[in-house]
Amino acid sequence: MEALRPVPRTLLRDRAYAAIRDAIVAGEIEPGAVVRDAELAERLGLSRAPVREAFARLVDEGLLESKPQSYTRVTPVVAAEVRDAAAVVGAMHELVTRTAVPRLRDPDLDEMRVSNVRFAAAVEAGDVDEALRADDELHDVLVRVAGNRAAAATVARYTPLIRRLERRRFGEGGSCRSAGLHERLIEACAAGDTEAAVQVTADIWRTLSDLADADTTD
């Protein structure tokens, strides 16, 4: 009867958090929309408790804002906040790249190459979901190999703020990050050139700061 053990409460909380976060990032729950724990709990097939816990985490991460006894709603996409998040996430990616490059093995590099092929194809097809998924998987190789849990947690916390703006600009006819920059990163990693890989990583994340600078929301 092992399969019938109760599902841990923390798992329900994490499921609720991931589902609501992804809906906000994808724009399915739009900026300014009021969210209600009872309604989302019903839609997710959960009780209200894990949804409330997810709300608290999303408020802390800047995707929701809450006024006690009044409302909880999705925050607007604010360029200054995206710039701040991109600076922090970029710094963490530079850190993990510096650590990971000497540790990379051929299977890791192959995984990065496959992800970049998928990324380029998705950008060409206008598939923002697949493009950002492949982009995450490419960079996650370096995060995983570096093994820095604090850096990984920081990246996971602040990346959704950036993704909302990327998705919106993509939908307006803009483009995601360059597959060419990814190719340069992979080449530097394959050559074991840590400094070059860190520089390309900085260039990649600088494009996100530029994206925020071009946005009109302050």
Side-chain angles (χ1 to χ4, degrees):
M1 302 292 287
E2 285 291 315
L4 296 181
R5 289 183 300 177
V7 177
R9 180 183 179 83
T10 53
L11 178 59
L12 295 177
R13 177 194 63 202
D14 292 344
R15 282 175 52 198
Y17 163 78
I20 299 167
R21 177 203 61 201
D22 290 350
I24 292 171
V25 172
E28 294 172 14
I29 307 177
E30 297 181 348
V34 173
V35 292
R36 297 176 176 83
D37 55 8
E39 178 183 336
L40 289 181
E42 183 177 359
R43 289 174 60 183
L44 293 170
L46 299 171
S47 69
R48 294 170 68 176
V51 173
R52 289 196 195 105
E53 292 174 22
F55 279 7
R57 183 173 172 185
L58 290 163
V59 168
D60 185 54
E61 295 181 0
L63 291 175
L64 292 178
E65 56 188 2
S66 182
K67 182 177 180 180
Q69 309 303 319
S70 183
Y71 62 77
T72 300
R73 64 188 179 195
V74 179
T75 56
V77 179
V78 179
E81 294 177 1
V82 175
R83 283 194 297 269
D84 290 345
V88 171
V89 173
M92 291 301 98
H93 276 291
E94 289 179 43
L95 173 63
V96 299
T97 297
R98 187 175 297 281
T99 303
V101 169
R103 303 178 181 178
L104 290 168
R105 299 294 179 262
D106 288 342
D108 302 317
L109 295 167
D110 289 342
E111 187 176 348
M112 293 174 72
R113 293 185 182 103
V114 168
S115 294
N116 198 35
V117 169
R118 289 177 43 228
F119 173 83
V123 170
E124 180 68 22
D127 186 343
V128 63
D129 290 321
E130 176 64 11
L132 294 181
R133 188 178 304 115
D135 183 76
D136 280 338
E137 290 175 3
L138 188 155
H139 292 284
D140 282 350
V141 172
L142 296 168
V143 174
R144 184 189 72 238
V145 172
N148 186 321
R149 294 177 64 184
T154 302
V155 168
R157 172 171 180 164
Y158 290 106
T159 296
L161 290 172
I162 303 166
R163 289 303 195 214
R164 287 206 294 168
L165 180 57
E166 283 188 287
R167 282 177 178 273
R168 188 173 77 187
R169 292 302 299 274
F170 193 103
E172 293 169 351
S175 62
C176 288
R177 282 173 256 175
S178 166
L181 281 173
H182 286 160
E183 289 174 4
R184 286 172 49 201
L185 174 61
I186 295 167
E187 288 171 2
C189 290
D193 190 338
T194 300
E195 294 305 320
V198 170
Q199 182 58 57
V200 177
T201 299
D203 292 342
I204 288 170
W205 288 92
R206 190 175 300 113
T207 65
L208 291 177
S209 294
D210 293 342
L211 185 69
D213 288 335
D215 193 72
T216 57
T217 305
D218 293 312

